[in-house]
Amino acid sequence: AMRSTLWLVGLAMALPKVHDSTVWVLDDGNFDQTDEGEWAIDFYAPWCKHCKDLEPIWKAVAKDLKMKGSTVNVAKVDCVLNPSAAKENNVRGFPTIRFIRNGKTVSTFKKPQRNKGNLVKWILENSEAPLRVEGKVSEKASGGKKAPPEAKLFEIATIALTFIRDTIRRVPFLACITSGLFGVIVGAFVGVTWALGQIKKHS
């Protein structure tokens, strides 16, 4: 058991870096992650002065969104090193800031002032996901209603399954090892969710 634990820790350390602090680093190889969820993405070029000015602001935006309970993924793409991602997203100038939901561009930031306040406001206006405060759905975002217990369970299961999915994507041979575990988790989640629904229905 000890050897297995050490092996998994070593494997995790060997995985490629996919985020810089609170900002995800996307490239031609992992850009398909944007096919799921909401993403605010800075398409930049290293030689661009405006891009360099935006970098610390973009990190501050990511931290502010996290503090507000937003689940939007804040990311960046070096368009010089990743021309395919730039071409697929029709990037014609730098920096280009796009809001993508489930693989489709929803909005492009066009205000001349790229400050933290404007960017955070723009992202929250485009996001459809509820804000989460200390692990709970905020009453303001959910229309004043508290999230049911099964919603919290769903959130935990989603995080776990997303982690397993992303790990398999990065290390293909883990698919064989984790396929059985994946089935157990899904089955347990469905069963517990159903049980909670029945308890709530008869309470």
Side-chain angles (χ1 to χ4, degrees), residues 10-60:
L11 178 63
M13 294 177 67
L15 289 175
K17 183 179 180 182
V18 294
H19 63 87
D20 175 14
S21 182
T22 51
V23 178
W24 289 85
V25 179
L26 298 177
D27 55 38
D28 288 343
N30 66 9
F31 197 85
D32 61 351
Q33 292 184 78
T34 62
D35 290 343
E36 297 181 13
E38 294 184 332
W39 296 77
I41 305 175
D42 167 27
F43 295 87
Y44 73 97
W47 47 260
C48 169
K49 180 183 182 303
H50 296 300
C51 297
K52 293 178 181 178
D53 292 340
L54 177 62
E55 185 175 2
I57 297 173
W58 198 234
K59 287 183 179 180

Side-chain angles (χ1 to χ4, degrees), residues 70-125:
S70 173
T71 56
V72 175
N73 299 291
V74 178
K76 62 181 182 180
V77 181
D78 183 335
C79 294
V80 174
L81 296 178
N82 303 282
S84 294
K87 184 177 180 180
E88 289 175 5
N89 288 275
N90 196 30
V91 176
R92 297 182 178 180
F94 305 110
T96 294
I97 305 173
R98 297 261 168 81
F99 190 95
I100 295 176
R101 181 185 304 115
N102 298 329
K104 295 183 179 180
T105 298
V106 174
S107 177
T108 300
F109 186 81
K110 296 181 179 180
K111 289 187 177 181
Q113 286 111 7
R114 302 184 191 94
N115 56 53
K116 187 182 78 169
N118 284 341
L119 288 164
V120 169
K121 181 180 179 182
W122 171 74
I123 291 171
L124 293 178
E125 286 176 347

